[in-house]
Amino acid sequence: MFQQMQYFIDVVDAHSFTQAAADDNISQSAISQQIKELENNLGVLLLKRQGRSFEITPAGQYFYQHSRDVLGQVKKIVKDTVRIANDNEPELRVGYLKSFGTTEFLQTVAEFSKSYPEVKIKINNGTHEQLYDWLREEKIDLAFSDQRRAPSNEYVNDFLTESGLMVAVSQTGEFSHAEQIDVADLADLPCILITDSKQQLAEETYYQEILGVKGGFRLVANYDEAQMLIAANQGYLIVNQRTQNLLDSGIVQTVPLHNGGHELTQKYYMYWKVDNSGFYIETFAEMFEHHFK
């Protein structure tokens, strides 16, 4: 039936039995017979013939739309099956956001490795921009990262979780008793960025344009340096409900961060290129998603 489904799709796309037959390199009578046989097997009329032209019936429209999806999946299954059979040393290259807690990620790596021991997993961690560049340049197959851009149709955007943003401030400063802090109230303190000079511009742009940060910035290499500055009331650090666990609650305090009265949140996704989608990539993503439920 798959071949008949393809003939039917070709006829509808070409708006012509003659053109579809020519494109598929068969006779017009043969393709007409295949469509009739398909209709007989289904017991419904897909095309309403009117001389040399035709109109697609409501049932035909439904069958057309879903047949395209089904055949797309069949072609993908065939492609993946052949690739798996011919790949003696399959490899999966995964990137994850280094500022995010790794519990679910490590659980997924362990689960995947147990299920598919033949697959060699290569793991890299980086900033959002690094992961985006590696994915775009096909240096990794899929990336776990925060959302900083509008979703692109060139990528599968698999939502995983959302976390409220927090601001880490001094326990002895002016915000020591605050239950929430608006980003505008932090304009007189520098925002601390845990990054390097290569990523500085991209990070500052995100914090200014998306989060609404108004003051200056200070770059540090790690959380320890950030906490020393915070404890001395020389800056603040934006984290979220998950990454706040990387801070010492005996040194700094974390408070929900708002902008104009609205709580700020951060969404996290698993990303991979649509044209690079495959069995191992999708399986890893499904396993990873399961750990967030």
Side-chain angles (χ1 to χ4, degrees):
M1 178 178 282
F2 290 143
Q3 184 59 66
Q4 292 175 340
M5 292 166 69
Q6 186 62 63
Y7 285 147
F8 175 71
I9 291 171
D10 293 342
V11 167
V12 174
D13 285 343
H15 305 289
S16 166
F17 280 89
T18 302
Q19 185 59 52
D23 293 340
D24 291 333
N25 198 29
I26 63 173
S27 67
Q28 181 177 339
S29 59
I31 200 169
S32 296
Q33 183 59 38
Q34 289 294 318
I35 301 302
K36 285 185 177 294
E37 186 175 333
L38 175 62
E39 291 176 320
N40 290 335
N41 290 335
L42 294 173
V44 298
L45 189 67
L46 300 176
L47 299 175
K48 184 178 180 181
R49 280 78 168 175
Q50 297 177 334
R52 293 186 177 183
S53 63
F54 63 83
E55 290 184 1
I56 187 169
T57 66
Q61 186 64 48
Y62 176 87
F63 190 78
Y64 169 79
Q65 292 174 345
H66 290 278
S67 291
R68 292 178 64 90
D69 295 336
V70 169
L71 290 183
Q73 286 297 313
V74 169
K75 291 176 182 178
K76 181 178 178 302
I77 290 171
V78 171
K79 179 182 177 181
D80 287 345
T81 301
V82 173
R83 181 180 56 78
I84 291 171
N86 293 334
D87 194 350
N88 294 324
E89 295 183 357
E91 180 179 273
L92 182 65
R93 303 165 299 170
V94 185
Y96 72 93
L97 194 65
K98 63 182 179 182
S99 62
F100 190 87
T102 59
T103 300
E104 293 88 354
F105 184 79
L106 293 177
Q107 289 173 338
T108 304
V109 170
E111 180 183 354
F112 184 89
S113 296
K114 182 178 180 180
S115 299
Y116 304 97
E118 72 279 7
V119 180
K120 182 178 181 180
I121 301 181
K122 290 187 175 181
I123 301 173
N124 292 283
N125 65 65
T127 65
H128 173 92
E129 293 302 317
Q130 287 173 327
L131 293 172
Y132 174 72
D133 288 340
W134 293 340
L135 194 61
R136 181 172 50 84
E137 296 166 4
E138 300 185 354
K139 293 180 179 179
I140 58 176
D141 297 308
L142 68 166
F144 166 58
S145 185
D146 53 349
Q147 181 191 15
R148 297 197 177 186
R149 296 174 171 83
S152 168
N153 292 332
E154 295 181 9
Y155 297 88
V156 176
N157 305 278
D158 187 18
F159 174 74
L160 296 174
T161 189
E162 184 175 17
S163 186
L165 288 178
M166 315 285 288
V167 56
V169 294
S170 170
Q171 293 184 346
T172 60
E174 62 176 302
F175 303 107
S176 59
H177 299 293
E179 295 184 357
Q180 65 182 49
I181 298 175
D182 195 283
V183 68
D185 297 330
L186 297 165
D188 294 333
L189 278 176
C191 179
I192 301 170
L193 301 179
I194 303 177
T195 188
D196 56 39
S197 58
K198 293 181 180 179
Q199 304 297 320
Q200 180 178 358
L201 179 59
E203 289 293 293
E204 290 184 357
T205 299
Y206 169 73
Y207 276 69
Q208 290 170 335
E209 297 183 358
I210 304 301
L211 302 185
V213 171
K214 302 299 182 183
F217 294 92
R218 292 192 66 170
L219 268 62
V220 298
N222 52 55
Y223 279 94
D224 288 337
E225 291 184 26
Q227 289 186 109
M228 285 189 286
L229 291 175
I230 296 170
N233 201 31
Q234 295 179 20
Y236 65 92
L237 178 70
I238 296 178
V239 292
N240 61 49
Q241 291 170 332
R242 295 180 57 94
T243 56
Q244 66 175 329
N245 296 327
L246 300 173
L247 301 173
D248 187 340
S249 60
I251 299 176
V252 303
Q253 66 173 349
T254 54
V255 183
L257 182 63
H258 289 236
N259 187 353
H262 299 286
E263 182 180 4
L264 293 174
T265 61
Q266 182 64 68
K267 295 182 179 180
Y268 292 88
Y269 287 78
M270 181 69 80
Y271 302 96
W272 66 91
K273 280 191 171 183
V274 171
D275 58 9
N276 189 40
S277 189
F279 174 77
Y280 292 133
I281 291 176
E282 294 180 5
T283 300
F284 187 94
E286 288 175 3
M287 289 181 176
F288 198 20
E289 183 178 355
H290 176 75
H291 287 291
F292 287 96
K293 294 181 178 179

